[in-house]
């Protein structure tokens, strides 16, 4: 039973909107189908009752007329006596099986009761689909007369299909409106959640609409404020500790430099140098949370990247630039420069060279910083974005890494209007992909 239920749930559409469409439209369509079924059943019952009453009265009158006019004139009267569901024949009619339905037997019984013993009747079925039967009797002069009956409901009016189509269209419109009303707040909430910024710069939801929507929007806005407050407190603590550590580290370095030269002195200076780098990176990470405070500017992306790469090449670093975008970009240039610099520094530290390439992706631009270093295990590509996270092996403390370069780049990416992700290269190495969407052709 549980397996069947799970299989049934898998057959449902994946989106809430599609499921609501299906449930509402199927429910309303079923309700209309039941209404039409009851209407047609009532129509059939009314038509049957009317047919019985009309047949009983009409046959009595028709037999009386045919019995009183001359035999040679009877054929001329048959078209006048014809009705939609029955007509008259002069002659014995057709033989057939016994009546199959209760309605037919009731028809014959009521006609026989109306004609009385003067005109005894017998009946037989002629066909079953559609149902058709004949009632046989003889007039006073012995001439046989047959009443052929084919019960049927009243024909459907020509305008009824158009009314049905209009109702179905109205059902679709109402279903669409109901689904849109129900799913639009969810879509707005999803967009707000995607753009949620730890610094509190994300868009706030409008607290309007139904009570449930207002409550959800208020709760989301309050959650965003709390996250921003907690993040701000954490970064302030980190910045304060990092800043306060600089003074004792500097004093310790001065004392070590005053010591006699030796292996212990050099090791201590190396440790203090690493601590100093950690402190500087800690301060940089804390400041990166305020990247949105920088004013956005429109820059020439090609000139911006060339300037960045030339700075590295001037110092003898193996950094290359490939591709050309021909685009203008609205971004925070300092934040974007820091992102790319961190990615390039990461590639230089672990591979000795870096390749910066540009590629168009529709209306967006994709920046690719690649190296031929040892790469990163697939299950740790997300973890290396976390602060102070370092891998064992080549990407360790001995290579000079502090575990904050990628974390700073990831934290600055939303401020620069970018999205950052890492992946391993075919043939070995790592590549960082920075997607920029807010670009325009020069």
């Amino acid at each position: 039973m549980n397996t069947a239920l799970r299989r049934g749930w898998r057959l449902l559409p994946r989106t809430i909107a599609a499921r609501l469409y299906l449930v509402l439209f199927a429910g309303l369509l079923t309700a209309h189908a039941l209404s039409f079924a009851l209407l047609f059943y009532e129509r059939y019952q009314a038509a049957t009752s009317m047919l019985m009453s009309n047949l009983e009265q009409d046959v009595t009158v028709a037999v009386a007329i045919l019995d009183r006019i001359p035999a040679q004139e009877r054929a001329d009267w048959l078209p006048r006596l014809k009705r939609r569901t029955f007509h008259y024949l002069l002659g014995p009619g057709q033989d057939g099986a016994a009546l199959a339905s209760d309605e037919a037997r009731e028809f014959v019984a009521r006609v026989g009761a109306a004609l009385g013993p003067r005109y005894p009747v017998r009946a037989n079925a002629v066909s079953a689909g559609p149902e058709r039967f004949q009632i046989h009797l003889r007039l006073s002069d012995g001439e046989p007369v047959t009443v052929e009956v084919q019960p049927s409901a009243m024909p459907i009016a020509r305008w009824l299909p158009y009314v049905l189509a209009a109702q179905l269209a109205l059902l679709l419109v109402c279903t669409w409106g109901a689904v849109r009303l129900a799913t639009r707040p969810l879509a707005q909430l999803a967009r707000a959640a995607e753009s949620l910024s730890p610094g509190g710069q994300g868009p706030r939801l409008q607290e309007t609409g139904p009570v449930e929507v207002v409550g959800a929007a208020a709760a989301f806005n309050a959650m965003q404020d709390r996250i921003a407050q907690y993040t701000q407190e954490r970064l302030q603590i980190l910045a304060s500790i990092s800043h306060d550590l600089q003074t004792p580290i500097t004093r310790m370095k001065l004392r070590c430099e005053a010591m006699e030269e030796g292996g212990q002195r050099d090791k201590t200076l190396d440790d203090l140098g690493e601590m100093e780098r950690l402190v500087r990176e800690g301060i940089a990470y804390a400041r990166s949370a305020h990247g949105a405070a920088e004013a956005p500017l429109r820059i020439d992306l090609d000139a911006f990247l060339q300037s960045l790469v030339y700075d590295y090449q001037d110092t003898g670093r193996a950094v290359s630039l490939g591709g050309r975008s021909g685009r203008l970009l609205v971004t925070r240039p300092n934040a974007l420069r820091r992102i790319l610099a961190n990615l390039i520094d990461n590639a230089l530290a672990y591979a000795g060279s870096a390749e910066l390439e540009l590629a168009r992706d529709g209306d967006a631009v994709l920046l690719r910083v690649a190296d031929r270093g040892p790469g990163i295990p697939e299950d740790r590509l997300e973890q290396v974005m976390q602060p102070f996270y370092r891998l064992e092996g080549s990407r360790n403390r001995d290579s000079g890494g502090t575990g904050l370069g990628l974390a700073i780049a990831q934290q600055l990416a939303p401020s620069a209007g970018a999205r950052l992700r890492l992946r391993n290269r075919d043939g070995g190495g790592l590549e960082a992909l920075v997607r920029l969407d807010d670009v325009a052709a020069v």
Side-chain angles (χ1 to χ4, degrees):
M1 183 65 179
N2 292 334
T3 304
L5 286 175
R6 286 195 295 269
R7 190 179 297 112
W9 279 110
R10 291 196 196 101
L11 296 177
L12 288 175
R14 295 182 62 84
T15 64
I16 293 179
R19 292 185 179 186
L20 286 176
Y21 277 125
L22 179 63
V23 171
L24 290 177
F25 186 74
L28 293 173
L29 189 62
T30 302
H32 272 68
L34 290 174
S35 298
F36 272 99
L38 292 174
L39 176 64
F40 279 107
Y41 178 75
E42 190 275 336
R43 186 187 182 94
Y44 173 77
Q45 293 288 89
T48 302
S49 177
M50 185 178 297
L51 175 60
M52 286 185 179
S53 177
N54 291 345
L55 181 64
E56 179 182 350
Q57 299 174 5
D58 197 280
V59 170
T60 302
V61 174
V63 169
I65 293 175
L66 294 174
D67 202 18
R68 284 172 173 76
I69 61 177
Q72 61 273 18
E73 297 180 7
R74 290 171 181 168
D76 297 333
W77 276 82
L78 293 183
R80 304 177 188 178
L81 300 174
K82 183 179 180 180
R83 300 293 182 265
R84 185 181 64 85
T85 54
F86 58 90
H87 61 276
Y88 300 89
L89 303 171
L90 295 177
Q94 303 178 25
D95 293 330
L99 299 177
S101 66
D102 294 336
E103 289 81 2
R105 287 190 286 270
E106 186 176 356
F107 281 152
V108 174
R110 296 183 65 166
V111 169
L115 293 175
R118 182 178 177 182
Y119 304 100
V121 299
R122 64 180 181 84
N124 61 267
V126 176
S127 68
E131 183 182 20
R132 187 159 57 92
F133 61 91
Q134 292 182 346
I135 302 174
H136 308 281
L137 57 94
R138 290 184 177 275
L139 300 177
S140 298
D141 59 1
E143 183 176 6
V145 174
T146 299
V147 184
E148 186 170 304
V149 183
Q150 184 174 341
S152 64
M154 293 292 290
I156 297 176
R158 293 182 178 179
W159 48 263
L160 190 58
Y162 298 102
V163 173
L164 179 60
Q167 288 181 334
L168 290 177
L170 183 61
L171 278 179
L172 286 173
V173 172
C174 292
T175 303
W176 175 83
V179 170
R180 180 175 173 80
L181 185 65
T183 58
R184 185 168 55 182
L186 291 177
Q188 293 173 347
L189 183 61
R191 288 193 297 269
E194 289 177 355
S195 59
L196 180 65
S197 171
Q201 295 88 16
R204 300 182 66 83
L205 289 176
Q206 294 184 356
E207 299 179 13
T208 58
V211 175
E212 295 82 0
V213 175
V214 170
F220 180 86
N221 291 334
M223 178 192 68
Q224 186 170 226
D225 293 338
R226 288 196 299 271
I227 291 175
Q229 181 181 356
Y230 297 154
T231 303
Q232 185 68 22
E233 291 176 355
R234 185 195 67 176
L235 294 175
Q236 285 179 351
I237 292 173
L238 176 61
S240 299
I241 294 175
S242 300
H243 183 270
D244 292 342
L245 282 174
Q246 286 183 314
T247 300
I249 290 174
T250 302
R251 288 200 302 264
M252 293 173 68
K253 288 183 67 176
L254 292 174
R255 291 172 183 170
C256 287
E257 290 173 355
M259 294 171 57
E260 295 182 1
E261 294 185 1
Q264 191 67 31
R265 174 180 177 274
D266 294 338
K267 290 181 181 180
T268 304
L269 286 175
D270 289 341
D271 288 340
L272 290 173
E274 184 176 346
M275 291 175 61
E276 196 171 29
R277 287 194 298 272
L278 281 170
V279 169
R280 285 198 301 267
E281 291 295 330
I283 295 175
Y285 179 72
R287 289 174 177 172
S288 67
H290 304 286
E294 180 187 355
L297 299 175
R298 184 178 294 271
I299 63 173
D300 184 333
L301 185 58
D302 294 321
F304 176 83
L305 296 178
Q306 288 174 1
S307 173
L308 175 64
V309 172
Y310 289 162
D311 288 343
Y312 280 97
Q313 293 176 349
D314 288 343
T315 59
R317 304 291 187 92
V319 180
S320 63
L321 175 63
R324 182 176 176 81
S325 68
R327 300 291 177 104
L328 295 176
L329 172 68
V330 176
T331 185
R332 293 178 170 88
N334 291 334
L336 181 59
R337 178 178 288 271
R338 184 61 188 272
I339 292 170
L340 296 175
N342 282 13
L343 297 177
I344 293 173
D345 290 342
N346 192 71
L348 292 173
Y350 303 122
S353 64
E355 305 167 14
L356 177 58
E357 297 180 359
L358 289 83
R360 292 188 182 182
D361 186 8
D363 292 333
V365 168
L366 195 64
L367 304 180
R368 178 172 169 268
V369 180
D371 64 56
R372 284 299 180 183
I376 296 175
E378 292 291 336
D379 58 346
R380 299 191 182 183
L381 286 174
E382 295 294 332
Q383 297 178 21
V384 296
M385 295 290 194
Q386 302 300 319
F388 300 107
Y389 184 87
R390 284 187 294 268
L391 295 171
E392 298 296 332
S394 64
R395 294 180 181 269
N396 60 15
R397 192 182 300 269
D398 294 335
S399 62
T402 60
L404 282 173
L406 293 177
I408 292 173
Q410 176 77 343
Q411 185 159 270
L412 282 174
S415 301
R419 284 179 285 173
L420 172 63
R421 66 186 181 93
L422 303 177
R423 70 182 183 188
N424 288 306
R425 298 181 68 182
D426 294 334
L430 182 72
E431 60 182 11
L433 302 176
V434 180
R435 181 184 175 87
L436 301 168
D437 294 313
D438 192 6
V439 293
V442 176

